[in-house]
């Protein structure tokens, strides 16, 4: 169970999530998700929160899959669930 959590300097211990490095910028870059999410939703075992920017999505569509090239470009980062939803709000224009 502890593998599903990360210690965040801002939010303490929270569920783990992943975003591309571009979403961590202070600019709005879009927010594509593996599946539709909402805060505090129940996840099935093995499901994690994943998001990437519009540029990563264009590459994913062109290459038709996640591959080594896209993984290198996206440079996925670990964030906590609360940071994930703050980034989602920012990138979707709600803040």
């Amino acid at each position: 169970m502890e593998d599903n959590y990360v210690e965040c300097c801002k939010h303490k211990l929270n569920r783990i999530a992943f975003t591309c490095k571009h979403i961590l910028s202070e600019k709005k870059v879009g927010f594509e998700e593996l599946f539709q999410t909402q805060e505090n939703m129940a996840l099935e075992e093995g499901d994690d929160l994943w998001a990437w920017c519009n540029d990563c999505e264009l590459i994913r569509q062109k290459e038709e899959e996640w591959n080594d090239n896209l993984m290198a470009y996206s440079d996925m980062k670990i964030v906590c669930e609360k940071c994930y939803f703050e980034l989602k709000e920012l990138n979707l224009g709600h803040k």
Side-chain angles (χ1 to χ4, degrees):
M1 177 161 145
E2 58 192 47
D3 288 344
N4 297 331
Y5 289 82
V6 62
E7 186 72 32
C8 174
C9 61
K10 184 176 178 184
H11 300 110
K12 308 268 190 246
L13 188 66
N14 276 284
R15 217 166 27 180
I16 197 169
F18 302 90
T19 69
C20 73
K21 69 178 179 182
H22 312 109
I23 286 178
L24 298 177
S25 74
E26 293 184 18
K27 297 185 297 184
K28 292 180 183 177
V29 294
F31 199 89
E32 300 289 333
E33 297 182 283
L34 188 58
F35 52 86
Q36 187 68 30
T37 65
Q38 60 189 20
E39 283 189 78
N40 302 314
M41 69 185 284
L43 295 174
E44 298 293 322
E45 187 172 332
D47 282 347
D48 290 312
L49 302 171
W50 284 80
W52 52 93
C53 70
N54 291 343
D55 287 345
C56 288
E57 177 63 7
L58 289 174
I59 295 169
R60 188 192 69 77
Q61 289 176 0
K62 181 180 177 184
E63 299 194 11
E64 299 180 352
E65 66 179 2
W66 279 91
N67 56 31
D68 291 341
N69 180 43
L70 182 51
M71 286 303 288
Y73 180 76
S74 66
D75 191 17
M76 298 302 279
K77 303 296 183 188
I78 294 173
V79 297
C80 83
E81 178 180 27
K82 290 188 185 286
C83 286
Y84 180 93
F85 284 105
E86 287 176 2
L87 292 163
K88 183 175 181 176
E89 282 188 40
L90 172 71
N91 280 280
L92 294 179
H94 302 288
K95 276 191 178 181

